[in-house]
Amino acid sequence: KKHKRMKKAPKIYYSSRTHSQINQVVRELRRTSYRPQMSILASREHYYIHRVVSKKSNKNEERKKLLEHRECLHHRNMSKLSGCSDIKAGGPLEVWDIEELVTKGKELRACPYFGSRELAETAELILCPYNYLVDPIIRRAMNINLKGAVVIMDEAHNIEDTCRDSASYQIDALQLEEAKAAFEKVMLHPDFKESHQPFLDIITALQRWLQNACTHLSAQGSFEEEKNVWSGAGAVEMLQEIGITPANFESVVTSFETITTKSAEAEEDD
């Protein structure tokens, strides 16, 4: 007799608008008999336990320094947390929330942020905010693959705002100047000149456009704030002015992917 292979059960992604709503879901889960291997994906801000870094105003910069120099004990110990039997099915914390994982991380001196990501690799149920699923950049960063998965959106009428936020970005003149300086510095290395040049051109054109746009602002609703609102057609025209058109959009995306790949490889080499 030929035995049919058992199909692997799909991962379940349960997403909500906020982390506090995720904790409410955890409380309800405890009232059921369902005990899956689980994980909760959350931002570093919710999972910081390093005594020095957690007190800093620039937590991300401090964290990067520790990781670059391999000086973070909590990061090295993350597998102690992901492999802890207390937070697995049958353990005293088989259904846990963010605060409980943080407490267990402190006890084991292991990073809850990276521990939760390791747990997600084999988890049957993953809880996370909306943007972890709808934002492609976050999905790639967190290695989230939704193919064949079951996706549940709690209070899905709120998803529109999250999608809008994920497709939006705020940037000011100072950030543009800093980005331009960073690109020019990186491009001194011959290996990066070709891949980075298209973006340097776009940043320079965007600076010119912004300077011109600032002369056409008007007070709207507040005397302390001046702004302008462009129509969809106006936004398309602006993108064309700075060098992003339907004809070259794919090449811009390719350049961006090349840059991010090279940056990741450079970080690994360090």
Side-chain angles (χ1 to χ4, degrees):
K1 277 187 177 181
K2 289 185 177 180
H3 296 282
K4 289 185 177 179
R5 288 185 64 184
M6 293 286 290
K7 289 186 177 179
K8 186 179 178 181
K11 282 184 183 291
I12 300 173
Y13 287 90
Y14 190 106
S15 65
S16 192
R17 188 165 57 91
T18 65
H19 290 94
S20 60
Q21 288 175 327
I22 289 174
N23 285 341
Q24 292 175 15
V25 173
V26 171
R27 287 197 293 271
E28 292 302 315
L29 181 59
R30 287 195 179 108
R31 298 173 61 182
T32 73
S33 59
Y34 181 44
R35 293 295 181 265
Q37 299 290 349
M38 63 171 289
S39 185
I40 301 177
L41 298 178
S43 67
R44 292 182 176 91
E45 289 290 333
H46 287 82
Y47 278 139
Y48 273 126
I49 64 170
H50 195 285
R51 284 184 296 178
V52 176
V53 173
S54 59
K55 296 176 182 177
K56 298 284 187 178
S57 58
N58 56 340
K59 294 182 180 67
N60 279 336
E61 289 302 317
E62 293 297 324
R63 175 194 59 83
K64 287 179 181 178
K65 289 178 184 177
L66 287 174
L67 293 180
E68 285 173 2
H69 296 93
R70 295 175 173 81
E71 294 176 352
C72 184
L73 174 66
H74 301 92
H75 180 261
R76 295 200 299 269
N77 285 346
M78 62 181 170
S79 293
K80 287 185 179 181
L81 185 59
S82 60
C84 179
S85 59
D86 287 356
I87 59 174
K88 300 294 181 67
L93 287 175
E94 57 185 354
V95 177
W96 46 267
D97 59 26
I98 292 173
E99 288 74 19
E100 287 167 332
L101 191 66
V102 167
T103 299
K104 181 57 68 174
K106 290 178 179 178
E107 179 186 319
L108 299 173
R109 302 181 72 185
C111 180
Y113 174 74
F114 286 103
S116 67
R117 291 180 63 172
E118 275 201 342
L119 284 166
E121 293 176 6
T122 56
E124 300 161 312
L125 173 66
I126 299 174
L127 307 177
C128 61
Y130 290 153
N131 58 325
Y132 281 58
L133 303 185
V134 302
D135 191 321
I137 295 176
I138 297 178
R139 283 205 310 271
R140 284 196 295 269
M142 302 299 287
N143 294 319
I144 294 175
N145 181 6
L146 297 179
K147 185 176 181 180
V150 175
V151 177
I152 301 171
M153 298 283 190
D154 184 27
E155 298 185 351
H157 57 275
N158 293 315
I159 196 68
E160 184 178 342
D161 290 339
T162 303
C163 291
R164 188 182 297 111
D165 290 342
S166 295
S168 304
Y169 189 75
Q170 293 186 6
I171 189 168
D172 57 35
L174 178 59
Q175 290 172 313
L176 280 174
E177 189 59 40
E178 291 174 345
K180 182 179 179 181
F183 268 80
E184 289 174 340
K185 182 178 180 180
V186 170
M187 286 172 60
L188 293 175
H189 194 293
D191 290 346
F192 295 104
K193 186 171 179 60
E194 184 177 351
S195 60
H196 285 58
Q197 186 64 54
F199 276 90
L200 179 60
D201 294 341
I202 288 172
I203 291 171
T204 303
L206 185 55
Q207 284 182 309
R208 288 197 300 268
W209 178 87
L210 189 61
Q211 288 170 354
N212 181 59
C214 286
T215 63
H216 298 86
L217 301 180
S218 59
Q220 297 184 24
S222 171
F223 291 107
E224 298 178 356
E225 181 181 71
E226 291 186 330
K227 61 182 179 180
N228 202 347
V229 178
W230 284 265
S231 65
V236 169
E237 184 178 339
M238 180 270 286
L239 289 172
Q240 290 175 337
E241 284 181 28
I242 65 174
I244 301 178
T245 66
N248 74 348
F249 179 73
E250 289 299 326
S251 63
V252 171
V253 172
T254 300
S255 295
F256 174 75
E257 290 175 346
T258 301
I259 289 171
T260 54
T261 300
K262 286 185 176 182
S263 298
E265 289 172 350
E267 287 185 6
E268 289 179 2
D269 291 341
D270 290 341

